[in-house]
Structures are given as structure tokens and as C-alpha cells.
Amino acid sequence: MARVLSLFRPLFFLPHVMRRATGCKMSLDTRAREVFAAAIEAVQPDMVVRRALERTGDTLLVNGRSFTLKNNLHLVGFGKAVLGMAAEAERILGDHLVRGVISVPNGLQETLRRHGKEQMLLKEGSLIRVMEGAKHNLPDVEAQRAAECIKDLASSLTENDLLLVLISGGGSALLPAPVPPITLQEKQDVTRRLAAAGATIQELNSVRRALSLLKGGGLAHCAHPAQVVALVLSDVIGDPLDLIASGPTVWTEVRHDEVRSVLDRYGLSTASLPDSVKEVLGRSVPRWEVIGDQSDRAAHVLNAVIGSNSIALESAGRRARELGFRPGVLSPGVCGDVQSVSRLYGLLARFACSREEPPAELHAEILKLGPETGVESWDLCRAMQVLGEGRAEGWGATCLLAGGEPTVQLTGKGRGGRNQELAMLVGLELGGMELPPKGPVFLSGGTDGQDGPTEAAGAVTDAGLREEAQAQGLDTEGYLVNNDSFSFFSSLSGGQRLLLPGLTGTNVMDVHMLLIPPIPVVVSGQ
Ligand SMILES: Nc1ncnc2c1ncn2[C@@H]1O[C@H](COP(=O)(O)OP(=O)(O)OP(=O)(O)O)[C@@H](O)[C@H]1O
Ligand SMILES: O=C(O)[C@H](O)CO
């Protein structure tokens, strides 16, 4: 037992508390949805802020650092989840709040109202101004206006002030402040071309930082000499503070040669760039002048990640255990093309479900997929070891959890999202295998509740997917080629396989789940 405990990521497979799935009457599909709901529950914006802000009288404690509240609190925020974060922060600290401004996606307040999420809205008479913008996740004039208000607020602060900065995914588009003479349109064109050419969020945000007055530490620079406390809900693999929303409170040195090499890599030649961008990238001086010691300035800033995919997976694991599974986390950083990712889950399912010792080739095939799916070999080895032990010792049902953000090569014109496409592909992978009659089941869902431009968060599938579609006259491959996974799942069995939690108001990338039924123990000689 000690060996098992030491083998896994925190929370991975805790056999002493697991219960046999055989006693649970709920279907695997229902339980998968419950586990997904628990993942989202743990990263609700109000919940994460409540956990992060510890208040005793007029003292605020964040990450063990203490701040004095004396009617000196100012608040700014930008991102898809900061409305709910701001509402909770105002509930906790409102009596010391002077004023605030937050930049949130267009139409968010109305959508949350429609979904009955009143606790994520600011109370009437709130001191925080909500500004909506960045339609379709692209920086626009409204978002630029919000960025200006945020910059003005930060720049007006003194050493007696405390600035609470709320940051979540989508924050880059909601805080555009191009370095003059670059115009918003020019900056938008550059980022749009990069994204369309397949640049990663790391590459994209390194360019955004170079062209912005607020990103890469610019906001913290404006707020100096005030104390800055940034609460960050991470939507980037590995939770890198300098990249989430392009790191406005994290001082980052911009290397123009690195930025140019990213632009070159994606075919944005110098000749194709606007003159303003060329001029800014040609400057030898930093974006702003730092008077005094930079490390002294950094000491004024506390950045704290208060919610992430790992936290969602931990909570999912706890719920899985209550529902009779042996839970385990493969990795919170799954990325790469959905084709490779689906292959990986298919092979892991085969590995887990084989009644005999799986062949060495299967082991090797799984390991080979590590680099292209962002999963470290040791995580794959640990997973296989414990899945193997579970089979040998008859430990009952297993819930293998993972998180991250795979990608889809868009070639068709259909409606879908990466989670639904991944679920379809895994269903097809499972269909080609010899598996137990009741499982495995696979779920993939976006924690923001919206997978691509669709109303669904994702879908739940199993080995019966292709047959079910065939029986209903649906051409599975046709839907796949057209990236039409949402239409597929909507037409299939009255949309029963869709995952429809509605807009969740949070965002910590995606959650993947493979539920593996109990594998009968092979008694030697059988
Ligand atoms: N028809 C489609 N089929 C599959 N994937 C699609 C389709 N249309 C868009 N996508 C993918 O959806 C993604 C955008 O979806 P979404 O709005 O959920 O973004 P996101 O990456 O989750 O954004 P954020 O992290 O800011 O919430 C892109 O990766 C895009 O490739
Ligand atoms: O806003 C952004 O830059 C992305 O959501 C990553 O944080």
C-alpha cells in the first residue's frame, strides 16, 4: 500500500478509502457528470476568492502576507471570471473599498442573470464599475476604454493604497493598451494573424506583452508605490504567472529578438508588419522607465494563483471516490492535437481493461505518445503501474482524471469544440477494442461551460458510439471531417451525450475523465 501511495501525484489512487463501484447503482455516465460538476464547483470564482482572502478585523492575509485595511482598498480586474471574483471580494472587503473597475466579456452580466447566477453579479450600488467588451474574445474599443480606466485608477494610487487585482483567462483581450503609436486595429491584426497561424498561448502572449503598456508588469508599474495583491485564476498549463492574461502584474523583460523570432516562425515577416509595430520592436529602451531598484518594486507586488486545473481535478477526485471509484490524476497539462490525445486515452483504456498482463508493445506505444500530448513519461508509467496493480488485485472501478487544453486542426465549417471532438474520437477509439460490456466511459468538458462556439461544454462517450450513430443514420466520419461535433451530438439520441452545464462563470481549461469499470480478477489456472 505504501508503494502505491508514493507512486502517484497527490490524490492519486487512495485504495484505503475507495469503495467498490459494484455497490453503486448510478450509471457510469451519470457519475461522470457528477464528477465533472465537482471539478467546476471547486473553482467557482466566489469560492476561490473566499479561500484566498483571510480577514481579521482590519488586517487582510493573503498567502501568509499581511496588509492593513484603512479605507484604502482599490480594485481592478479583467477576464472571463472576474465578475464573480469581484462580487465576492466586495462582500468580504467592501467596507474598505474606495472604488473599482473591472473589464469583462460582452454580455456577461445578462448571460449570468439568465442562468440564475445572481451571486456572481455585483450588488446594487456597488463601488465597482463593470465595463463589458472584447466581443468574440478579441480586443475592441470598449475593452480599450476599460483598460484606460484601469490604468488611470492604478496610476492615481499612493503608497498608502492597496490595489487588489483580479485576473482570469481572457484577460489579455480585455486589457488592450497598445504602446503608441501602435493602434488597436494594428495590434489586433498582429495577434489575430498569429493565432490563425497556430501560435501557442505562450507565443501569443509573449508578443502581446511586447506591444502593450499594461501587460508584462505594466499595470504593477502604474500602481507603484501602492501595494499590489493579484489573485489569479489560471487558464494556462503549468500556471505561469507571466503568461496568464499576459502577466500585467509580473515584471517581465521583453526581448525584441525573441518576439521577432515568434513572428517569423508564423510567417509574419518584418515587411508585413505595420510601421508602428516595426518601430516599437526596434526600440532599444524598455517600455517604461524604472527609477530605482526593480527588485524593490517587485516587493510591492504579491501574485497568488488561487484557482487552477489541478484544484478542479483534486475536487473531482474526491467526488469520484465518494461515488465508488479509485481516483487518479494523470496530468493537468494535456495538450497537443485531439487525434493524438484520443489515441492516448484509447490505449490507456485498453491497458486498464485487458484481463491479462498487457504486452510490452502497448506500454511502449503509450509512452511514445507522451511528448505530443504533453504528458511526462513518469506520469504515464505511474498510471500504467497502478492501473496494472488495480487489475491484478481486483480493486474495482477506476476514475482516471486529466486536464489541459488540446487543439483541433480546423478544416471544416461545422459547429463544434475541442472537447466534443475529442469525446467523439475517444468513443471511436474505444469502439475498436475488446472491452468489458459496461465501460469504459469517457468525458471531456470545458470548465467554462462553453466548448468552442457552442452551448455545450463537451460530451460523454463510450465504445457504443459508432453503432448508436449508425443505427440513427448518422455519418460519424462526415461530421468529424467537417469539425461538426456539436451537430453530431445534438442529432444523436436527442442530444443525450452532450454535457450541458450552462455558462459556469469560471475557466480553468478542460477536464478529461476515463471511467474504467471493475476488471474481473484472473485467478491463475483459469
Ligand atoms: N467547429 C469546431 N470544432 C472543433 N473545435 C473548434 C470548432 N470551432 C472552434 N473550435 C476551437 O475552439 C477553441 C475556442 O473555443 P473556446 O471559446 O472554448 O476557447 P478557449 O480556448 O476555451 O478560450 P478561453 O481559454 O479564453 O476560454 C479554439 O481552440 C478552436 O480551435
Ligand atoms: O487571456 C489570456 O491571455 C489567455 O486566456 C491566457 O490566460
Side-chain angles (χ1 to χ4, degrees), residues 403-428:
E405 206 166 79
T407 47
V408 167
Q409 302 263 338
L410 282 183
T411 46
K413 290 197 166 24
R415 273 188 85 197
R418 58 176 180 261
N419 287 283
Q420 292 161 83
E421 194 156 321
L422 177 62
M424 253 180 115
L425 289 167
V426 174
L428 297 182

PDB file of all heavy atoms in Angstrom, residues 403-428:
ATOM      1  N   GLY A 403      -6.353  17.073 -17.155  1.00  0.00           N
ATOM      2  CA  GLY A 403      -6.817  18.403 -17.539  1.00  0.00           C
ATOM      3  C   GLY A 403      -5.888  18.973 -18.571  1.00  0.00           C
ATOM      4  O   GLY A 403      -4.842  18.397 -18.874  1.00  0.00           O
ATOM      5  N   GLY A 404      -6.243  20.107 -19.108  1.00  0.00           N
ATOM      6  CA  GLY A 404      -5.385  20.758 -20.088  1.00  0.00           C
ATOM      7  C   GLY A 404      -6.196  21.384 -21.196  1.00  0.00           C
ATOM      8  O   GLY A 404      -7.375  21.716 -21.002  1.00  0.00           O
ATOM      9  N   GLU A 405      -5.565  21.526 -22.340  1.00  0.00           N
ATOM     10  CA  GLU A 405      -6.236  22.199 -23.452  1.00  0.00           C
ATOM     11  C   GLU A 405      -5.669  21.713 -24.777  1.00  0.00           C
ATOM     12  O   GLU A 405      -4.762  22.333 -25.332  1.00  0.00           O
ATOM     13  CB  GLU A 405      -6.057  23.718 -23.298  1.00  0.00           C
ATOM     14  CG  GLU A 405      -7.150  24.511 -23.955  1.00  0.00           C
ATOM     15  CD  GLU A 405      -7.165  25.972 -23.528  1.00  0.00           C
ATOM     16  OE1 GLU A 405      -6.349  26.776 -24.031  1.00  0.00           O
ATOM     17  OE2 GLU A 405      -7.996  26.305 -22.689  1.00  0.00           O
ATOM     18  N   PRO A 406      -6.174  20.589 -25.288  1.00  0.00           N
ATOM     19  CA  PRO A 406      -5.707  20.119 -26.599  1.00  0.00           C
ATOM     20  C   PRO A 406      -6.158  21.057 -27.720  1.00  0.00           C
ATOM     21  O   PRO A 406      -6.929  21.985 -27.481  1.00  0.00           O
ATOM     22  CB  PRO A 406      -6.376  18.745 -26.747  1.00  0.00           C
ATOM     23  CG  PRO A 406      -6.913  18.401 -25.418  1.00  0.00           C
ATOM     24  CD  PRO A 406      -7.158  19.688 -24.701  1.00  0.00           C
ATOM     25  N   THR A 407      -5.700  20.791 -28.910  1.00  0.00           N
ATOM     26  CA  THR A 407      -6.069  21.657 -30.041  1.00  0.00           C
ATOM     27  C   THR A 407      -6.704  20.846 -31.174  1.00  0.00           C
ATOM     28  O   THR A 407      -6.521  19.640 -31.265  1.00  0.00           O
ATOM     29  CB  THR A 407      -4.815  22.359 -30.604  1.00  0.00           C
ATOM     30  OG1 THR A 407      -3.795  21.364 -30.744  1.00  0.00           O
ATOM     31  CG2 THR A 407      -4.311  23.455 -29.707  1.00  0.00           C
ATOM     32  N   VAL A 408      -7.425  21.561 -32.003  1.00  0.00           N
ATOM     33  CA  VAL A 408      -8.105  20.930 -33.139  1.00  0.00           C
ATOM     34  C   VAL A 408      -7.616  21.627 -34.409  1.00  0.00           C
ATOM     35  O   VAL A 408      -7.474  22.838 -34.425  1.00  0.00           O
ATOM     36  CB  VAL A 408      -9.643  21.154 -33.004  1.00  0.00           C
ATOM     37  CG1 VAL A 408     -10.364  20.809 -34.278  1.00  0.00           C
ATOM     38  CG2 VAL A 408     -10.199  20.329 -31.856  1.00  0.00           C
ATOM     39  N   GLN A 409      -7.323  20.840 -35.426  1.00  0.00           N
ATOM     40  CA  GLN A 409      -6.988  21.437 -36.733  1.00  0.00           C
ATOM     41  C   GLN A 409      -8.318  21.709 -37.424  1.00  0.00           C
ATOM     42  O   GLN A 409      -9.001  20.764 -37.802  1.00  0.00           O
ATOM     43  CB  GLN A 409      -6.221  20.434 -37.599  1.00  0.00           C
ATOM     44  CG  GLN A 409      -4.954  19.932 -36.984  1.00  0.00           C
ATOM     45  CD  GLN A 409      -3.756  20.699 -37.497  1.00  0.00           C
ATOM     46  OE1 GLN A 409      -3.821  21.305 -38.565  1.00  0.00           O
ATOM     47  NE2 GLN A 409      -2.679  20.682 -36.763  1.00  0.00           N
ATOM     48  N   LEU A 410      -8.665  22.959 -37.565  1.00  0.00           N
ATOM     49  CA  LEU A 410      -9.963  23.277 -38.171  1.00  0.00           C
ATOM     50  C   LEU A 410      -9.863  23.233 -39.686  1.00  0.00           C
ATOM     51  O   LEU A 410      -9.166  24.038 -40.292  1.00  0.00           O
ATOM     52  CB  LEU A 410     -10.422  24.656 -37.733  1.00  0.00           C
ATOM     53  CG  LEU A 410     -11.024  24.778 -36.334  1.00  0.00           C
ATOM     54  CD1 LEU A 410     -11.504  26.194 -36.082  1.00  0.00           C
ATOM     55  CD2 LEU A 410     -12.160  23.801 -36.125  1.00  0.00           C
ATOM     56  N   THR A 411     -10.554  22.265 -40.267  1.00  0.00           N
ATOM     57  CA  THR A 411     -10.550  22.182 -41.738  1.00  0.00           C
ATOM     58  C   THR A 411     -11.962  22.338 -42.282  1.00  0.00           C
ATOM     59  O   THR A 411     -12.158  22.747 -43.407  1.00  0.00           O
ATOM     60  CB  THR A 411      -9.982  20.816 -42.197  1.00  0.00           C
ATOM     61  OG1 THR A 411     -10.592  19.793 -41.406  1.00  0.00           O
ATOM     62  CG2 THR A 411      -8.481  20.749 -42.028  1.00  0.00           C
ATOM     63  N   GLY A 412     -12.952  22.000 -41.438  1.00  0.00           N
ATOM     64  CA  GLY A 412     -14.348  22.077 -41.884  1.00  0.00           C
ATOM     65  C   GLY A 412     -15.039  23.339 -41.414  1.00  0.00           C
ATOM     66  O   GLY A 412     -14.427  24.199 -40.781  1.00  0.00           O
ATOM     67  N   LYS A 413     -16.316  23.409 -41.722  1.00  0.00           N
ATOM     68  CA  LYS A 413     -17.075  24.615 -41.396  1.00  0.00           C
ATOM     69  C   LYS A 413     -18.199  24.329 -40.398  1.00  0.00           C
ATOM     70  O   LYS A 413     -19.115  25.123 -40.226  1.00  0.00           O
ATOM     71  CB  LYS A 413     -17.698  25.185 -42.690  1.00  0.00           C
ATOM     72  CG  LYS A 413     -16.673  25.773 -43.640  1.00  0.00           C
ATOM     73  CD  LYS A 413     -17.369  26.662 -44.653  1.00  0.00           C
ATOM     74  CE  LYS A 413     -16.463  27.574 -45.460  1.00  0.00           C
ATOM     75  NZ  LYS A 413     -15.097  27.237 -45.650  1.00  0.00           N
ATOM     76  N   GLY A 414     -18.115  23.158 -39.747  1.00  0.00           N
ATOM     77  CA  GLY A 414     -19.204  22.761 -38.851  1.00  0.00           C
ATOM     78  C   GLY A 414     -19.141  23.462 -37.504  1.00  0.00           C
ATOM     79  O   GLY A 414     -18.277  24.306 -37.257  1.00  0.00           O
ATOM     80  N   ARG A 415     -20.104  23.095 -36.632  1.00  0.00           N
ATOM     81  CA  ARG A 415     -20.140  23.665 -35.273  1.00  0.00           C
ATOM     82  C   ARG A 415     -19.642  22.621 -34.280  1.00  0.00           C
ATOM     83  O   ARG A 415     -20.157  21.501 -34.241  1.00  0.00           O
ATOM     84  CB  ARG A 415     -21.577  24.037 -34.896  1.00  0.00           C
ATOM     85  CG  ARG A 415     -21.951  25.424 -35.349  1.00  0.00           C
ATOM     86  CD  ARG A 415     -23.307  25.780 -34.774  1.00  0.00           C
ATOM     87  NE  ARG A 415     -23.195  26.321 -33.428  1.00  0.00           N
ATOM     88  CZ  ARG A 415     -24.208  26.404 -32.580  1.00  0.00           C
ATOM     89  NH1 ARG A 415     -25.388  25.949 -32.902  1.00  0.00           N
ATOM     90  NH2 ARG A 415     -24.040  26.963 -31.398  1.00  0.00           N
ATOM     91  N   GLY A 416     -18.647  22.999 -33.530  1.00  0.00           N
ATOM     92  CA  GLY A 416     -18.124  22.039 -32.572  1.00  0.00           C
ATOM     93  C   GLY A 416     -17.110  22.687 -31.664  1.00  0.00           C
ATOM     94  O   GLY A 416     -16.951  23.908 -31.650  1.00  0.00           O
ATOM     95  N   GLY A 417     -16.451  21.850 -30.894  1.00  0.00           N
ATOM     96  CA  GLY A 417     -15.418  22.349 -29.993  1.00  0.00           C
ATOM     97  C   GLY A 417     -14.428  21.234 -29.743  1.00  0.00           C
ATOM     98  O   GLY A 417     -14.692  20.072 -30.075  1.00  0.00           O
ATOM     99  N   ARG A 418     -13.281  21.588 -29.141  1.00  0.00           N
ATOM    100  CA  ARG A 418     -12.238  20.563 -28.975  1.00  0.00           C
ATOM    101  C   ARG A 418     -12.681  19.441 -28.038  1.00  0.00           C
ATOM    102  O   ARG A 418     -12.297  18.287 -28.222  1.00  0.00           O
ATOM    103  CB  ARG A 418     -10.919  21.186 -28.523  1.00  0.00           C
ATOM    104  CG  ARG A 418     -11.019  21.954 -27.251  1.00  0.00           C
ATOM    105  CD  ARG A 418      -9.704  22.488 -26.738  1.00  0.00           C
ATOM    106  NE  ARG A 418      -9.959  23.206 -25.513  1.00  0.00           N
ATOM    107  CZ  ARG A 418     -10.076  24.514 -25.410  1.00  0.00           C
ATOM    108  NH1 ARG A 418      -9.916  25.282 -26.466  1.00  0.00           N
ATOM    109  NH2 ARG A 418     -10.337  25.075 -24.247  1.00  0.00           N
ATOM    110  N   ASN A 419     -13.517  19.771 -27.023  1.00  0.00           N
ATOM    111  CA  ASN A 419     -13.955  18.726 -26.092  1.00  0.00           C
ATOM    112  C   ASN A 419     -14.895  17.737 -26.757  1.00  0.00           C
ATOM    113  O   ASN A 419     -14.775  16.525 -26.558  1.00  0.00           O
ATOM    114  CB  ASN A 419     -14.649  19.362 -24.881  1.00  0.00           C
ATOM    115  CG  ASN A 419     -13.646  20.039 -23.973  1.00  0.00           C
ATOM    116  OD1 ASN A 419     -12.949  19.377 -23.223  1.00  0.00           O
ATOM    117  ND2 ASN A 419     -13.554  21.350 -24.071  1.00  0.00           N
ATOM    118  N   GLN A 420     -15.827  18.261 -27.554  1.00  0.00           N
ATOM    119  CA  GLN A 420     -16.774  17.367 -28.214  1.00  0.00           C
ATOM    120  C   GLN A 420     -16.070  16.535 -29.283  1.00  0.00           C
ATOM    121  O   GLN A 420     -16.351  15.352 -29.456  1.00  0.00           O
ATOM    122  CB  GLN A 420     -17.919  18.183 -28.822  1.00  0.00           C
ATOM    123  CG  GLN A 420     -18.789  18.814 -27.742  1.00  0.00           C
ATOM    124  CD  GLN A 420     -19.630  19.962 -28.264  1.00  0.00           C
ATOM    125  OE1 GLN A 420     -20.696  19.730 -28.817  1.00  0.00           O
ATOM    126  NE2 GLN A 420     -19.166  21.183 -28.097  1.00  0.00           N
ATOM    127  N   GLU A 421     -15.105  17.169 -29.975  1.00  0.00           N
ATOM    128  CA  GLU A 421     -14.385  16.407 -30.998  1.00  0.00           C
ATOM    129  C   GLU A 421     -13.533  15.319 -30.338  1.00  0.00           C
ATOM    130  O   GLU A 421     -13.468  14.184 -30.824  1.00  0.00           O
ATOM    131  CB  GLU A 421     -13.528  17.362 -31.847  1.00  0.00           C
ATOM    132  CG  GLU A 421     -13.041  16.676 -33.095  1.00  0.00           C
ATOM    133  CD  GLU A 421     -12.700  17.619 -34.226  1.00  0.00           C
ATOM    134  OE1 GLU A 421     -13.400  18.629 -34.448  1.00  0.00           O
ATOM    135  OE2 GLU A 421     -11.699  17.332 -34.917  1.00  0.00           O
ATOM    136  N   LEU A 422     -12.911  15.667 -29.219  1.00  0.00           N
ATOM    137  CA  LEU A 422     -12.102  14.670 -28.505  1.00  0.00           C
ATOM    138  C   LEU A 422     -12.994  13.519 -28.026  1.00  0.00           C
ATOM    139  O   LEU A 422     -12.635  12.342 -28.170  1.00  0.00           O
ATOM    140  CB  LEU A 422     -11.389  15.329 -27.309  1.00  0.00           C
ATOM    141  CG  LEU A 422     -10.573  14.402 -26.418  1.00  0.00           C
ATOM    142  CD1 LEU A 422      -9.434  13.748 -27.194  1.00  0.00           C
ATOM    143  CD2 LEU A 422      -9.989  15.153 -25.206  1.00  0.00           C
ATOM    144  N   ALA A 423     -14.158  13.851 -27.473  1.00  0.00           N
ATOM    145  CA  ALA A 423     -15.061  12.808 -26.973  1.00  0.00           C
ATOM    146  C   ALA A 423     -15.485  11.882 -28.120  1.00  0.00           C
ATOM    147  O   ALA A 423     -15.529  10.657 -27.963  1.00  0.00           O
ATOM    148  CB  ALA A 423     -16.278  13.446 -26.319  1.00  0.00           C
ATOM    149  N   MET A 424     -15.743  12.478 -29.277  1.00  0.00           N
ATOM    150  CA  MET A 424     -16.123  11.653 -30.444  1.00  0.00           C
ATOM    151  C   MET A 424     -14.996  10.703 -30.801  1.00  0.00           C
ATOM    152  O   MET A 424     -15.192   9.504 -30.998  1.00  0.00           O
ATOM    153  CB  MET A 424     -16.322  12.595 -31.652  1.00  0.00           C
ATOM    154  CG  MET A 424     -17.748  12.789 -32.050  1.00  0.00           C
ATOM    155  SD  MET A 424     -17.817  13.905 -33.466  1.00  0.00           S
ATOM    156  CE  MET A 424     -18.451  12.766 -34.693  1.00  0.00           C
ATOM    157  N   LEU A 425     -13.779  11.259 -30.881  1.00  0.00           N
ATOM    158  CA  LEU A 425     -12.626  10.452 -31.286  1.00  0.00           C
ATOM    159  C   LEU A 425     -12.342   9.338 -30.285  1.00  0.00           C
ATOM    160  O   LEU A 425     -12.026   8.213 -30.675  1.00  0.00           O
ATOM    161  CB  LEU A 425     -11.388  11.350 -31.446  1.00  0.00           C
ATOM    162  CG  LEU A 425     -11.415  12.292 -32.654  1.00  0.00           C
ATOM    163  CD1 LEU A 425     -10.324  13.352 -32.548  1.00  0.00           C
ATOM    164  CD2 LEU A 425     -11.236  11.492 -33.946  1.00  0.00           C
ATOM    165  N   VAL A 426     -12.460   9.651 -28.992  1.00  0.00           N
ATOM    166  CA  VAL A 426     -12.203   8.606 -27.986  1.00  0.00           C
ATOM    167  C   VAL A 426     -13.277   7.528 -28.104  1.00  0.00           C
ATOM    168  O   VAL A 426     -12.977   6.330 -28.039  1.00  0.00           O
ATOM    169  CB  VAL A 426     -12.131   9.191 -26.557  1.00  0.00           C
ATOM    170  CG1 VAL A 426     -12.011   8.077 -25.522  1.00  0.00           C
ATOM    171  CG2 VAL A 426     -10.944  10.139 -26.424  1.00  0.00           C
ATOM    172  N   GLY A 427     -14.531   7.934 -28.308  1.00  0.00           N
ATOM    173  CA  GLY A 427     -15.610   6.947 -28.489  1.00  0.00           C
ATOM    174  C   GLY A 427     -15.278   5.999 -29.634  1.00  0.00           C
ATOM    175  O   GLY A 427     -15.446   4.783 -29.528  1.00  0.00           O
ATOM    176  N   LEU A 428     -14.747   6.543 -30.715  1.00  0.00           N
ATOM    177  CA  LEU A 428     -14.411   5.699 -31.874  1.00  0.00           C
ATOM    178  C   LEU A 428     -13.228   4.783 -31.552  1.00  0.00           C
ATOM    179  O   LEU A 428     -13.202   3.619 -31.937  1.00  0.00           O
ATOM    180  CB  LEU A 428     -14.099   6.563 -33.095  1.00  0.00           C
ATOM    181  CG  LEU A 428     -15.273   7.427 -33.589  1.00  0.00           C
ATOM    182  CD1 LEU A 428     -14.890   8.217 -34.825  1.00  0.00           C
ATOM    183  CD2 LEU A 428     -16.505   6.567 -33.872  1.00  0.00           C
TER     184      LEU A 428
END
